[in-house]
Amino acid sequence: MEKIILFLTVLCCTLSSCTKEKTDYEAEIDTIVPERIEFKEVTNFKSGNYTIRIEALGGQLYKGYNQIRLKIEAPDQPAPSTVTLLPILTDSQGKISSCPHRYEQLYQAEEGYFEGYVVFTEESRNTSHWDLHIGFTAAEQLHSNSQRIQVRPQDNKNLNMTSFTGNDGEQYFIALIAPQKPKVAENNLTAGIYKYNKPKALSSSSTIDPAQFSYSQVEGYTLQLDPRMPEPSMGNHSSPNNKDLVQGTDKLYHGVVNYTMTGNWTLNFILLNHQGRIVKGTVVPNDFTPGVEGIKSELHIDILF
Amino acid sequence: MNVVFALLLGVCTVNAQDNLAQRDTTKILEEIKVKAKGKKKIKTDMKLAVSVDEFLASSQSISFIKRGAYAWEPLLNNMSSERSSITIDGMHVFGACTDKMDPITSYVETNNLSTVDIKSGQEGNLHGATVAGSIDLQRKSTAFGLDKKVTGSYQTGFEFNNKQHFNLADMSYSGNRFVADGSISFRKAKNYHSGDNKEVKHSQFNKFNSSIGLAYKTGERSALRIDAIYDKAKDVGFPALPMDLWLSRALITSASYKQIFEDNIIQFWDTKVYYNTIEHYMDDTTRPENLVHMDMPGWSTTYGLLSKIALKRGRLTSEVQLNAYDNLSIAEMRMYPQDRSKRTMFAYSWPWITTRFAGLSTSNSLDLSDKSHLTFGGSLGWNYNYSKYVEFNKIFYPDAPQKKNSILPSLHASYHVNVARFDFSVGSGYGHRAPSISESYGYYIYNSFDRYDYIGNPHLKNEISYEINATAGYKSNKMGIQAKVNYFYIQDYIVGRILSMGSPMNYQSVGVKGYTALDHANILNLAISTNYDILPHLHWKGTITYARATDGQRGNLPFIRPLSYQTSLHYMYKRFGIQTSLNGDAVQRDYSPEYGEDKTPAYQIWNASADYVLPIQKVNATLQIGAENILDTYYSTYADWGNIPRMGRNIFTSLKINF
């Protein structure tokens, strides 16, 4: 009897093992969506007695939105104040430009670092490069430094960005900030919307004038959202219960996007100004069109997870 | 054969002859020799060798949704399978396919069943909560110490229409302390042809089933039994669906211990633990016309406990049963982009749903006099659902809870009386059922019937059924007539309704439907059956059924059988038996366009068969030849998914040997 039971137990185990393995859904997203949670040092350099450490998520800078922490340390020296940061891109012709950023860094007293962000609009290439111009005041003395940095291509499509000229002639930038790693779920979508402030007068000085590279966070606009799957076989599939992005107290724009399955999605946008006028974007068709690639808004960002 | 069929009908549904009452006297002591050698009951009037589906179809209260030639979905009292409790020896098994391609009945085979116990409405609450009733597929189990130690049977046959050949064998050994039952079966069929002789593509099937049961007498009045069924279906076509089945496998196991008590209030106590696991893989590689290639695997694993005590005191006999189970159902959906180098698209259609149930039920019979008795019972159950990836459900229902508890009460009572040759019964019932996992947590489950993607609604309330039923019968030596009627008023009846949000995910789909509850639905079922012995060897039988179901606002519910009839003649002469039958449905007057139905025309099918018992000593061998749909009528019924045509003329042959 015992032998029979043993035999049957073994038989059960053999027969009950699955033919196909179940999908590890969360691990599968991990394979194509890198998630960076920890701030690590990107680079450091000396300015007088001070050591300046630049930190970013994962210790790398990427095209798109980067949160930046500056640690300016020196033993037995007065604490630095008025820390400024200006990213400058120099192209192959030597022409310089910048990108959306916070110029004056916020001091986080508890953690002891200065906080800011940069939305890099391009990655570093052989012919063009980025420098971070970091200035600070310590003991009433102004320190100015420039540090060459490497901006890598964005490897997480969920942090993509786009730039465009609005119908009002202004230059705008929209960068996705969260979620880094979306799920098949209701996701809180965060984006930064920035604008280039055209300088009143062109600078003639040969030194870099921050006034020429002024960017600000766009205030009080609405970013209408219509997420869709562009894959032809998905027939312009969309999801319910999405919410347009509106500005929160942190100045960033927050909304809700529902992804009904993993894969390629397009976030179709329409940017409205405070008066509700369209700054950029077109309405996408609502029809279910199997076999036809979905039509995208003229203002959109593609994501993938 | 008529006797057998009548006996089966007797077991079915509301009936004056409650089988509990019969069981108490003689059967209790023999319970350990359960269903002894008995004659093979699994056959129909027309066919000696049938599939489980064909057998169930011979019951008046069961109709089928057919998506092809295999794995028909049984509808009890014209209600879909989530409303009935379908069990194997009281064990809960849950299909692993979101498209209902694998009802539980597809995981057994006729040669490992002894009978099928069908109960209507709340009377079927012994194994768990139900609205429509219960279908319990009862396994064969041989008694200890039979005179004939080794018995067995073998069936083989060929059906010409779909070139189906089958071989079924089973064997039993009955010792004084040890009993063994084993069965094995193979069925293989090619595409069938409809009435206009057109091949119905993707209607092939291929099934292997085997079972084993071992019992050991641990004491004078106690025994331990272990059972296992292994079923494998491969390359099964579903012509009405956009996908076929590549492979499904089920392993259904149990171990039970039974103790009989003598001269006591307690008659016996039977406790069983069980485990079953199912895997189901759909396949669309055989359908090159599909725009999107998809993988849709599903898994379902259940652990359970069942413990039953039978009691008897004076004129009261009772059964008290504890049921508990835990099921995990997982279904995945992966769509492949046209450019295969791109990322595939993935979602769970059942996002890892756990269902737990625990309930106590009782069923009692009280003899009021020699001619009348009362049956009554009730159950109280607790149902729990847990969605591991509840974020899927939150897309449509943002405040969807991850866990859900519900209490499922049920009550029923009926009074039965015999007056001379007449018998009557009236009964009533009340019961709840929890929404099924597809209804609660299903995610973009494509329904090819109405071509909508279905979204489960986690906020659904229990369906509450109020039912009344009655039977009246007359029996004489030469004839019998019986009428049965039942009426269900079902509160919060769950249906799919078009959602104003979301867009289809499956490319064939036209929109998204969400499960929601109608305020109430009404379902009425009526059946009249008669039999008459014209001559001592010539018997006539006739059945007529009618059903009507509305959504409470004069709309019709779908899949309700129109007026249908069956009439048959059976003639026996020495070793020969000849039978012929005519059956059909009237035009489907009360169809439901809202749920994707169209008006199905009337049809009529004529069948005939002849059998001959071979003059061989010691073994009982029967040869049968017959034809279904002799006139090769082209038809499809109200419940044929997507109006796929049924089989045209089918000549069948079979040989059955019992030894």
Side-chain angles (χ1 to χ4, degrees):
Chain A
M1 192 74 189
E2 277 117 28
K3 275 183 187 166
I4 293 169
I5 291 174
L6 183 74
F7 168 74
L8 287 175
T9 315
V10 172
L11 192 72
C12 279
C13 294
T14 327
L15 295 176
S16 64
S17 59
C18 291
T19 308
K20 281 189 183 178
E21 282 309 306
K22 295 176 188 88
T23 301
D24 188 340
Y25 151 72
E26 278 150 338
E28 197 178 85
I29 294 176
D30 289 343
T31 59
I32 63 151
V33 181
E35 193 179 25
R36 302 180 183 93
I37 299 159
E38 249 182 288
F39 277 87
K40 289 185 184 155
E41 188 173 290
V42 179
T43 181
N44 68 70
F45 58 93
K46 287 238 167 205
S47 172
N49 292 323
Y50 291 86
T51 305
I52 299 165
R53 299 179 193 283
I54 304 171
E55 290 187 355
L57 283 174
Q60 301 282 0
L61 297 168
Y62 297 90
K63 183 183 169 186
Y65 182 89
N66 295 265
Q67 206 177 349
I68 288 182
R69 291 177 180 175
L70 294 174
K71 288 184 177 162
I72 303 172
E73 297 155 344
D76 314 321
Q77 297 289 320
S81 63
T82 340
V83 178
T84 61
L85 183 140
L86 176 63
I88 292 292
L89 174 72
T90 311
D91 69 12
S92 52
Q93 275 98 49
K95 223 177 102 192
I96 61 169
S97 60
S98 184
C99 62
H101 61 278
R102 179 183 288 147
Y103 183 63
E104 278 190 31
Q105 307 300 293
L106 300 175
Y107 185 56
Q108 304 291 343
E110 270 177 39
E111 288 90 0
Y113 58 76
F114 294 87
E115 195 181 57
Y117 64 84
V118 179
V119 181
F120 291 109
T121 46
E122 277 179 33
E123 58 250 26
S124 301
R125 294 197 171 88
N126 292 337
T127 50
S128 59
H129 56 261
W130 287 96
D131 295 289
L132 289 183
H133 292 257
I134 296 167
F136 62 94
T137 313
E140 294 184 7
Q141 196 198 336
L142 190 71
H143 294 247
S144 320
N145 305 277
S146 165
Q147 176 68 21
R148 177 73 43 95
I149 44 125
Q150 185 73 21
V151 176
R152 292 166 191 277
Q154 183 55 260
D155 57 356
N156 182 350
K157 283 191 142 198
N158 306 293
L159 299 175
N160 270 351
M161 57 96 46
T162 181
S163 61
F164 57 94
T165 305
N167 297 336
D168 53 4
E170 304 281 352
Q171 207 188 348
Y172 290 92
F173 305 84
I174 298 177
L176 299 180
I177 298 171
Q180 275 196 61
K181 192 163 83 178
K183 293 178 93 178
V184 177
E186 196 178 60
N187 294 275
N188 290 317
L189 183 66
T190 306
I193 308 179
Y194 309 93
K195 184 179 156 181
Y196 176 55
N197 301 317
K198 285 179 187 158
K200 299 217 168 59
L202 281 175
S203 167
S204 52
S205 107
S206 59
T207 58
I208 289 167
D209 173 13
Q212 298 291 314
F213 307 108
S214 164
Y215 293 81
S216 58
Q217 284 174 307
V218 167
E219 305 272 347
Y221 280 32
T222 302
L223 190 60
Q224 289 183 336
L225 171 66
D226 188 353
R228 288 184 183 270
M229 294 189 91
E231 163 64 30
S233 61
M234 294 310 297
N236 201 31
H237 174 70
S238 183
S239 62
N241 293 328
N242 302 299
K243 286 189 189 127
D244 296 340
L245 288 86
V246 292
Q247 201 170 22
T249 48
D250 58 358
K251 305 264 178 155
L252 298 175
Y253 283 76
H254 300 276
V256 170
V257 61
N258 283 283
Y259 296 125
T260 56
M261 65 196 314
T262 65
N264 280 290
W265 284 80
T266 298
L267 301 176
N268 293 296
F269 292 127
I270 297 174
L271 183 64
L272 303 176
N273 67 12
H274 349 61
Q275 286 115 28
R277 291 217 185 101
I278 294 175
V279 177
K280 189 82 177 177
T282 44
V283 177
V284 291
N286 210 11
D287 317 336
F288 185 58
T289 50
V292 182
E293 189 164 340
I295 295 165
K296 299 178 184 184
S297 163
E298 60 173 22
L299 177 59
H300 68 263
I301 297 181
D302 290 326
I303 68 108
L304 172 71
F305 78 105
Chain B
M1 197 155 82
N2 270 338
V3 180
V4 171
F5 195 68
L7 216 148
L8 278 169
L9 282 179
V11 174
C12 299
T13 66
V14 271
N15 195 304
Q17 300 286 324
D18 183 76
N19 74 332
L20 193 86
Q22 295 178 335
R23 192 181 289 177
D24 65 300
T25 48
T26 49
K27 270 205 177 167
I28 294 293
L29 276 176
E30 289 167 18
E31 270 291 340
I32 210 135
K33 315 174 179 177
V34 219
K35 292 140 222 154
K37 50 182 178 182
K39 281 187 181 149
K40 257 197 102 67
K41 292 173 182 174
I42 307 278
K43 58 182 174 184
T44 67
D45 272 2
M46 288 305 303
K47 278 171 115 172
L48 290 173
V50 290
S51 69
V52 175
D53 289 343
E54 283 172 321
F55 173 66
L56 283 172
S58 66
S59 162
Q60 290 166 5
S61 35
I62 292 183
S63 49
F64 282 100
I65 291 182
K66 295 173 185 171
R67 297 170 173 89
Y70 186 78
W72 301 341
E73 181 194 351
L75 306 179
L76 181 55
N77 280 322
N78 284 294
M79 288 184 248
S80 59
S81 51
E82 54 265 2
R83 290 189 174 86
S84 6
S85 141
I86 306 178
T87 51
I88 300 173
D89 273 342
M91 300 185 287
H92 287 265
V93 185
F94 296 89
C97 176
T98 51
D99 290 347
K100 296 186 178 180
M101 281 154 78
D102 66 336
I104 305 319
T105 44
S106 71
Y107 290 119
V108 288
E109 184 52 271
T110 46
N111 69 342
N112 55 39
L113 295 181
S114 66
T115 183
V116 180
D117 186 11
I118 302 163
K119 289 191 172 160
S120 172
Q122 296 305 323
E123 265 192 63
N125 69 15
L126 198 62
H127 303 306
T130 178
V131 163
S134 69
I135 301 175
D136 189 35
L137 305 155
Q138 296 183 344
R139 298 211 29 207
K140 233 187 235 173
S141 68
T142 303
F144 287 104
L146 294 179
D147 298 340
K148 205 174 167 190
K149 284 208 176 320
V150 179
T151 52
S153 76
Y154 171 70
Q155 289 177 61
T156 182
F158 186 77
E159 305 206 352
F160 285 78
N161 184 296
N162 58 351
K163 299 184 178 62
Q164 180 188 172
H165 56 85
F166 55 87
N167 285 285
L168 293 83
D170 62 88
M171 231 173 154
S172 300
Y173 169 80
S174 168
N176 283 330
R177 295 196 74 89
F178 180 72
V179 159
D181 291 297
S183 75
I184 188 160
S185 75
F186 299 88
R187 283 180 192 272
K188 192 172 180 165
K190 297 209 163 88
N191 290 339
Y192 70 81
H193 292 75
S194 61
D196 53 5
N197 205 25
K198 274 211 184 98
E199 184 178 349
V200 177
K201 282 190 179 150
H202 312 292
S203 60
Q204 79 288 355
F205 62 86
N206 211 327
K207 178 184 168 93
F208 167 75
N209 182 287
S210 63
S211 74
I212 186 163
L214 303 170
Y216 183 71
K217 218 169 176 176
T218 49
E220 193 55 37
R221 294 188 188 86
S222 62
L224 185 70
R225 186 175 172 93
I226 50 175
D227 279 293
I229 299 179
Y230 174 70
D231 186 276
K232 179 174 145 185
K234 210 174 174 182
D235 185 27
V236 177
F238 285 83
L241 300 179
M243 290 179 99
D244 297 317
L245 171 72
W246 168 62
L247 173 71
S248 78
R249 293 199 312 164
L251 178 68
I252 299 161
T253 60
S254 64
S256 64
Y257 180 77
K258 183 167 190 169
Q259 175 80 50
I260 292 182
F261 302 88
E262 231 172 328
D263 304 316
N264 213 327
I265 292 174
I266 303 172
Q267 302 283 305
F268 70 86
W269 185 9
D270 191 355
T271 299
K272 173 153 54 184
V273 287
Y274 60 91
Y275 162 77
N276 58 68
T277 183
I278 292 180
E279 52 176 351
H280 189 275
Y281 307 107
M282 286 188 231
D283 176 28
D284 64 1
T285 54
T286 50
R287 310 287 187 100
E289 69 275 16
N290 281 9
L291 185 66
V292 185
H293 168 51
M294 279 176 86
D295 282 341
M296 290 187 72
W299 298 270
S300 163
T301 306
T302 311
Y303 297 87
L305 169 80
L306 190 153
S307 189
K308 177 155 116 179
I309 297 182
L311 306 157
K312 181 171 168 65
R313 189 173 186 186
R315 293 188 295 184
L316 177 71
T317 53
S318 303
E319 281 182 346
V320 180
Q321 184 168 318
L322 172 76
N323 294 294
Y325 61 79
D326 175 292
N327 168 263
L328 175 64
S329 292
I330 303 165
E332 299 180 352
M333 165 164 70
R334 184 183 297 281
M335 298 191 184
Y336 291 83
Q338 288 177 344
D339 174 359
R340 289 290 165 84
S341 63
K342 283 193 190 163
R343 167 98 162 144
T344 58
M345 295 159 277
F346 178 85
Y348 286 112
S349 31
W350 281 336
W352 289 61
I353 310 298
T354 301
T355 305
R356 289 194 185 123
F357 176 84
L360 200 63
S361 347
T362 171
S363 168
N364 310 280
S365 174
L366 179 67
D367 291 338
L368 300 172
S369 69
D370 291 350
K371 298 198 179 285
S372 66
H373 70 278
L374 192 68
T375 61
F376 57 96
S379 77
L380 189 64
W382 163 74
N383 192 79
Y384 166 86
N385 283 119
Y386 174 84
S387 171
K388 184 180 175 193
Y389 295 105
V390 72
E391 59 263 31
F392 282 73
N393 310 111
K394 287 190 171 182
I395 290 173
F396 280 84
Y397 297 93
D399 43 359
Q402 186 161 33
K403 296 172 187 173
K404 195 177 172 189
N405 285 289
S406 52
I407 298 294
L408 309 171
S410 156
L411 286 170
H412 69 88
S414 59
Y415 174 73
H416 306 254
V417 63
N418 280 50
V419 184
R421 287 179 163 176
F422 293 91
D423 58 71
F424 300 96
S425 79
V426 286
S428 175
Y430 159 82
H432 286 226
R433 96 164 162 102
S436 73
I437 59 166
S438 287
E439 288 165 343
S440 290
Y441 301 100
Y443 185 73
Y444 283 102
I445 296 175
Y446 176 61
N447 177 329
S448 57
F449 191 78
D450 59 7
R451 301 187 59 204
Y452 276 85
D453 282 338
Y454 276 69
I455 307 289
N457 176 354
H459 300 305
L460 286 174
K461 288 194 262 181
N462 289 343
E463 259 182 20
I464 305 171
S465 160
Y466 301 86
E467 102 191 49
I468 47 170
N469 53 63
T471 63
Y474 169 81
K475 245 181 234 154
S476 75
N477 294 337
K478 287 192 82 175
M479 71 161 293
I481 180 161
Q482 196 186 39
K484 291 193 278 186
V485 62
N486 62 35
Y487 168 75
F488 295 85
Y489 175 94
I490 303 170
Q491 216 173 301
D492 296 316
Y493 188 87
I494 299 167
V495 294
R497 278 276 163 85
I498 297 170
L499 281 181
S500 55
M501 58 181 177
S503 74
M505 183 179 277
N506 292 287
Y507 81 92
Q508 301 103 319
S509 172
V510 295
V512 180
K513 276 191 178 179
Y515 284 102
T516 176
L518 295 175
D519 178 68
H520 69 272
N522 307 292
I523 300 172
L524 174 80
N525 293 292
L526 190 73
I528 298 169
S529 55
T530 55
N531 62 286
Y532 182 64
D533 299 340
I534 303 166
L535 295 167
H537 292 292
L538 183 63
H539 312 288
W540 172 79
K541 269 183 18 178
T543 312
I544 190 159
T545 67
Y546 175 73
R548 182 86 177 92
T550 60
D551 62 4
Q553 289 151 349
R554 298 193 174 184
N556 297 317
L557 292 181
F559 298 117
I560 304 301
R561 190 172 200 163
L563 186 73
S564 75
Y565 56 89
Q566 175 162 24
T567 172
S568 62
L569 271 176
H570 178 202
Y571 179 68
M572 278 185 294
Y573 179 74
K574 290 183 179 170
R575 292 176 174 277
F576 282 100
I578 296 171
Q579 43 274 321
T580 179
S581 77
L582 196 68
N583 68 284
D585 285 355
V587 63
Q588 190 189 12
R589 197 172 53 108
D590 302 309
Y591 65 101
S592 163
E594 197 184 336
Y595 299 100
E597 282 192 318
D598 50 15
K599 193 175 192 165
T600 307
Y603 69 86
Q604 195 171 59
I605 302 301
W606 179 39
N607 314 302
S609 72
D611 52 70
Y612 176 66
V613 180
L614 297 174
I616 310 171
Q617 296 284 309
K618 285 190 179 176
V619 294
N620 177 355
T622 313
L623 203 61
Q624 187 178 52
I625 181 160
E628 293 166 307
N629 192 1
I630 295 169
L631 301 177
D632 208 18
T633 308
Y634 178 92
Y635 73 108
S636 92
T637 73
Y638 72 103
D640 285 320
W641 205 253
N643 292 335
I644 49 154
R646 302 293 335 138
M647 201 181 268
R649 185 185 302 121
N650 178 32
I651 295 168
F652 60 89
T653 57
S654 70
L655 169 72
K656 191 167 178 177
I657 301 168
N658 287 316
F659 58 89

